[in-house]
Amino acid sequence: MKRSLHNLKGLILLAVSVLILITLNACNDDEEGNSNAFLWSPKILVLKGDAQATLLLTDPRPFTEYVSPPTTPDYFEIFVSEDNISFSPLTKVGTDVTQVPVDKLTNGKSYYFFVTAARQGITSALTDTVMTIPSRAFATESYFPDVNESVETLTTSFDRNYISYNAGSDLYYRESGSASGQYVATNANGATWSKNSNQLAYITTTTSGISRYPHELRLLTTAGGQSTTLFSIDYPNFSLQYPEFTGNADELTFFSNENNPDKSYYDLWKMDVITLQRQRITSFQSKGFYTGGRYDWSHNAEEVYLAGRYNIQKYESDIYKVNISSAAITPIVVSPQWFESNPAISPDNNRIAFTSDGSGRGELWVYDVAKSRTVQVTPIEGYLFDERYTELQWLNDHEILITAFKNTKSVPVKITLD
């Protein structure tokens, strides 16, 4: 899913700069007689459909602060590309248009869009580029439909006999067939199940003044429902994020900046939950590599898939594979301008689910490793996916568990890919 910057857009930007300079020096014909006028351009979002897509255009002015009021364009012009390099005009629409259907697309093919705004022959600054991959609708069904709470980050144990979920600020776990959940802790996050036992690791947080910070890494054993502290987190000397079990028995990993002089670098640490011995297993600071978000282990526990970037000034992250033995960092899903995060590998190691805002908002995507092909999974009919309130989990090689909003309530949803 590698995507390059497009030449046409660069040429348009150059032309825009020249025209703006000429306009500012030679004319004074904007709506209010101000030679420093500029045009506003819409915020754009593209929704995936079956052999079609819909562009949503939103007026950003009510939600944006400007030094001086922007001028309204005469019209918008939409450009389209199939390779993110060669763009061509698709259509022109009035500034009152909010939805633009795009039909006769090919399922499985990538389409890229951006919009310009024009007035009296002068083109404004461009919008961001968004992309979509049309496809048929995927089969969906409720998972644990008798969970009545609005739940976040719901995941299941390895044998599917238990689930854990956050309802508000509280963490619960629940046995299959049980009528209610068992309370675990308040202000707990990062809950993750062992890959070979019914144990749940999670992080508790505590408050100091108006700040909340990680407090303890804890382990719950469903047999008996007992929770124990693995270790206390010496914040602010170091912080800890995203516990995750490897495929090795009793081995837990997490991100920590302990012992790193530059606290913006987080490394992976592993811990034996029996002996409580901890060991750092990466050295990302030596490579200038910054990590963020959830990650997932290959099923031989030799490689980890994570989101990261080499430039801390770059907000957007990409998906990488890290070999623990060789320390090699291999790019998997890389884009020039979008934010990819939260990778999860399928049990057969053939597909990687992840979130990306390439469409203009966070959606669920799946990358096929063998075919070097990406499928866009969401939007799904009847649900609103929000990557901030979910965790991706493969139930098997063909089914993914997420949480999504239905009628303003966050519910667990199983999606069948094929």
Side-chain angles (χ1 to χ4, degrees):
M1 192 175 164
K2 293 186 178 180
R3 294 160 271 184
S4 59
L5 292 171
H6 36 73
N7 297 331
L8 176 63
K9 196 169 181 181
L11 292 174
I12 291 177
L13 283 170
L14 178 61
V16 168
S17 301
V18 173
L19 287 170
I20 289 175
L21 288 174
I22 293 173
T23 303
L24 293 178
N25 288 318
C27 69
N28 185 23
D29 59 356
D30 67 281
E31 294 175 345
E32 299 181 4
N34 180 0
S35 62
N36 290 322
F38 63 96
L39 303 180
W40 64 268
S41 55
K43 179 181 179 181
I44 61 173
L45 167 68
V46 59
L47 301 180
K48 172 186 76 78
D50 187 357
Q52 62 90 36
T54 302
L55 277 169
L56 303 183
L57 310 181
T58 305
D59 184 345
R61 291 176 295 173
F63 315 102
T64 308
E65 294 184 1
Y66 296 97
V67 175
S68 59
T71 299
T72 298
D74 291 333
Y75 62 87
F76 300 134
E77 185 163 17
I78 299 169
F79 291 80
V80 64
S81 171
E82 296 181 9
D83 58 9
N84 205 19
I85 298 175
S86 301
F87 279 75
S88 59
L90 175 66
T91 187
K92 293 180 181 179
V93 298
T95 57
D96 59 338
V97 173
T98 58
Q99 295 190 25
V100 182
V102 185
D103 299 319
K104 298 180 180 179
L105 302 181
T106 301
N107 283 345
K109 181 179 289 188
S110 299
Y111 294 89
Y112 304 83
F113 303 91
F114 70 86
V115 177
T116 63
R119 180 174 184 267
Q120 298 177 351
I122 305 300
T123 303
S124 81
L126 313 180
T127 66
D128 294 332
T129 298
V130 295
M131 65 93 67
T132 189
I133 303 177
S135 72
R136 61 172 177 78
F138 293 98
T140 61
E141 63 180 278
S142 297
Y143 196 83
F144 272 82
D146 56 339
V147 175
N148 295 320
E149 299 98 332
S150 183
V151 302
E152 303 169 9
T153 60
L154 183 145
T155 56
T156 76
S157 61
F158 80 104
D159 58 7
R160 309 296 180 243
N161 285 332
Y162 293 89
I163 60 171
S164 68
Y165 57 91
N166 284 89
S169 61
D170 296 330
L171 174 65
Y172 296 85
Y173 79 97
R174 179 173 171 178
E175 187 173 6
S176 177
S178 175
S180 61
Q182 300 295 314
Y183 170 81
V184 178
T186 297
N187 296 322
N189 60 63
T192 183
W193 289 96
S194 168
K195 290 182 170 59
N196 46 40
S197 65
N198 287 322
Q199 293 181 301
L200 182 71
Y202 60 95
I203 299 172
T204 61
T205 61
T206 189
T207 301
S208 177
I210 61 173
S211 300
R212 180 167 295 281
Y213 55 88
H215 178 54
E216 291 181 335
L217 179 63
R218 298 183 63 84
L219 183 70
L220 170 76
T221 302
T222 58
Q226 297 300 311
S227 180
T228 58
T229 299
L230 297 177
F231 72 92
S232 297
I233 301 162
D234 186 19
Y235 190 89
N237 291 326
F238 70 92
S239 187
L240 186 147
Q241 302 172 335
Y242 306 116
E244 187 74 36
F245 285 92
T246 71
N248 296 331
D250 303 319
E251 188 174 77
L252 180 66
T253 60
F254 46 83
F255 278 133
S256 175
N257 57 7
E258 185 176 3
N259 298 337
N260 287 349
D262 185 341
K263 295 303 181 184
S264 59
Y265 285 99
Y266 281 77
D267 280 304
L268 275 171
W269 289 62
K270 69 178 180 180
M271 178 181 193
D272 188 305
V273 298
I274 303 299
T275 66
L276 303 186
Q277 295 297 309
R278 294 185 285 145
Q279 177 187 355
R280 186 169 62 179
I281 58 176
T282 64
S283 181
F284 291 135
Q285 185 167 349
S286 65
K287 297 177 178 291
F289 185 74
Y290 299 88
T291 60
R294 304 234 38 150
Y295 58 96
D296 199 14
W297 286 92
S298 64
H299 295 277
N300 59 11
E302 294 179 0
E303 296 169 327
V304 63
Y305 293 84
L306 48 75
R309 62 198 189 281
Y310 282 97
N311 182 359
I312 195 171
Q313 303 301 324
K314 179 179 182 287
Y315 170 75
E316 299 83 5
S317 63
D318 298 306
I319 306 299
Y320 293 85
K321 177 179 67 176
V322 179
N323 184 285
I324 298 301
S325 298
S326 68
I329 302 175
T330 305
I332 302 296
V333 179
V334 177
S335 68
Q337 68 234 80
W338 299 305
F339 188 98
E340 283 86 26
S341 190
N342 304 316
I345 188 78
S346 62
D348 60 8
N349 279 3
N350 287 336
R351 293 192 282 194
I352 303 169
F354 64 98
T355 60
S356 172
D357 64 355
S359 70
R361 71 181 183 192
E363 301 286 6
L364 174 62
W365 307 70
V366 171
Y367 176 72
D368 189 306
V369 177
K371 298 178 181 178
S372 299
R373 185 181 67 185
T374 302
V375 173
Q376 183 180 351
V377 180
T378 58
I380 49 179
E381 186 175 356
Y383 295 92
L384 175 62
F385 178 73
D386 192 325
E387 62 179 329
R388 297 171 297 174
Y389 304 104
T390 195
E391 183 175 344
L392 316 181
Q393 182 181 8
W394 290 88
L395 298 174
N396 52 53
D397 292 333
H398 308 286
E399 295 177 327
I400 300 176
L401 175 63
I402 65 171
T403 53
F405 288 91
K406 186 174 186 179
N407 299 326
T408 71
K409 178 182 176 182
S410 181
V411 296
V413 183
K414 181 177 73 174
I415 303 173
T416 303
L417 297 182
D418 51 33

